[in-house]
Amino acid sequence: MRVSVFGLGYVGCVSAACLAGKGHEVIGVDVNQVKVDLVNDGKAPVVEERIGELIAEVVGSGALRATRDVREAIMESEMSLICVGTPSEPNGSLCTTYLERVTEEIGAALAERGGRHTVVFRSTMLPGTCTNLLIPILEKYVGGTAGVDFGVAVNPEFLREGTSVRDFFDPPKTVVGELDPASGDAVLALYEGLPGEVFRVPVATAEAIKYADNAFHGLKIGFANELGAVCQALGVDSHQVMDVFLADRKLNISPAYLRPGFAFGGSCLPKDLRSLVHAARRADVSVPILSHVLPSNAAHLERAVELVERAGKRRVGLFGLSFKPGTDDLRESPLVELAERLFGKGYDLKIHDAHVSLSRLLGANREYVETRLPHLAQLLADSVDEVLEHAEVCLVGTRDPAVLSALPHGGDPLLIDLIHLPDADVRRAEPGYMGLAW
Ligand SMILES: NC(=O)c1ccc[n+]([C@@H]2O[C@H](COP(=O)([O-])OP(=O)(O)OC[C@H]3O[C@@H](n4cnc5c(N)ncnc54)[C@H](O)[C@@H]3O)[C@@H](O)[C@H]2O)c1
């Protein structure tokens, strides 16, 4: 394939050299003459393992050359990979100036070029940037329609500086956000033969994945370092702790707890986080991440209250009360907290939780419900129908099959899904459905 790569920084330079090494015909484009000259001399403009030898080789063979001339590059290629920088503005916002400029230049050149060309954004950019900012620029300059007259895709890159050449040939995954299938096919043809799972997703999903990855990586490092500092202060070998922590592939290094859902609670997580943070404070160890886990959880619960407020109804139903499905344990249940918040705000509330009703009958949780939550006890309904008949808006916090099968479609009552119901993807398109974080 004939490919132009815009921006010869870390990402562009490595992408250009590796694609040329894979047999594509590559033209690198940069506004910086020094970088262009370095590449044309067979030298790498960045310091990276193996990049020097690779650039010398592919420039020598004629597979890679560089230019400042956007028009020339576009005329001679079927695809543009955009790898310009997207730094932070002083206030933390994303700077899209370089992206906008290069997109304008490419659009103007494409207006003169016949035949299909696919514009692929590899720079990291916030969800919506491609659709709301860059595609309109391309359509304006080209005078055509994206997905029809030219292709558009978002192809975030997951190379790590230092090992990026190795990562290119053995990527953790390949993600293609495609405007139309032809654009996605063109991008995947570039990487044919490389290992790793391929994900074809909508454009905004591809943009968001990069942020999910980097936020999580930062969180992991911060978590490990904070835990290390607490362990050190308490005289514990932090590496030994993490060796055992990492060996748990069921709950720790696993997909467990990593899907958006409702707030956590129960008799362990809140209590243990509180005492760990307290121990850190006593030892004068600053743990901003650990000490903000409970506030983050409270903020998530608040989102549910806000959804009820936004619905603007007074008669509210709640399915589920125990701290997670399948138990009658009400201690530190976030659903109890939610019910109390709504009750306190004067909503006319009815609650159904089959486990809690049962334990009241058996006397197991009776004392807890009747002494600690007498105000909620009087709101408990024995049947699903009783709640549905009462409610104008219903919060669903349980996967109880009896509840799931009774939930109506169509908006009467309105549904607030706290747990990502099994049919959430279908319901999202229906009127009267609100997901807590999806
Ligand atoms: N560095 C990484 O490891 C890494 C990893 C993943 C994603 N990213 C993302 O990739 C993008 C590029 O990062 P980088 O580290 O390679 O940036 P960089 O700053 O090293 O390089 C950007 C290059 O773009 C050039 N440029 C600017 N405007 C241009 C234009 N109009 N035409 C042609 N070239 C132009 C600059 O001269 C520069 O050489 C960013 O969005 C970044 O967030 C970087």
Side-chain angles (χ1 to χ4, degrees), residues 7 9-11 30-31 35 83-86 102 123-124 157 161 210:
Y10 283 90
V11 171
D30 204 294
V31 287
K35 292 191 179 183
C83 308
V84 300
T86 49
V102 78
S123 301
T124 301
E157 70 95 57
E161 281 185 28
K210 183 73 194 167

Side-chain angles (χ1 to χ4, degrees), residues 243-321:
D243 284 344
V244 178
F245 174 92
L246 293 169
D248 180 344
R249 306 258 153 185
K250 272 197 183 147
L251 300 181
N252 295 347
I253 308 306
S254 78
Y257 311 124
L258 281 172
R259 301 227 183 248
F262 194 46
F264 64 78
S267 59
C268 297
L269 265 54
K271 165 179 85 70
D272 296 347
L273 269 159
R274 273 193 293 268
S275 56
L276 184 65
V277 169
H278 183 255
R281 205 178 308 132
R282 278 185 48 169
D284 275 337
V285 177
S286 161
V287 285
I289 293 179
L290 292 173
S291 58
H292 282 87
V293 176
L294 287 173
S296 159
N297 200 45
H300 195 57
L301 192 134
E302 200 55 33
R303 279 187 264 274
V305 177
E306 282 162 14
L307 281 183
V308 176
E309 284 172 345
R310 216 181 301 156
K313 309 282 185 196
R314 297 311 298 170
R315 292 203 310 275
V316 178
L318 172 62
F319 289 115
L321 195 58

Side-chain angles (χ1 to χ4, degrees), residues 313-319 348-352 381 383-396 407-408 411-416:
K313 309 282 185 196
R314 297 311 298 170
R315 292 203 310 275
V316 178
L318 172 62
F319 289 115
D348 183 0
L349 189 60
K350 267 203 193 308
I351 306 167
H352 174 75
S383 78
V384 176
D385 285 345
E386 198 181 330
V387 172
L388 286 175
E389 275 158 28
H390 163 82
E392 295 168 287
V393 55
C394 238
L395 298 130
V396 189
L407 288 178
D412 184 23
L414 302 170
L415 285 189
I416 297 177

Side-chain angles (χ1 to χ4, degrees), residues 29-46:
V29 188
D30 204 294
V31 287
N32 183 331
Q33 187 67 49
V34 177
K35 292 191 179 183
V36 169
D37 291 343
L38 276 168
V39 170
N40 283 332
D41 286 345
K43 297 192 182 107
V46 297

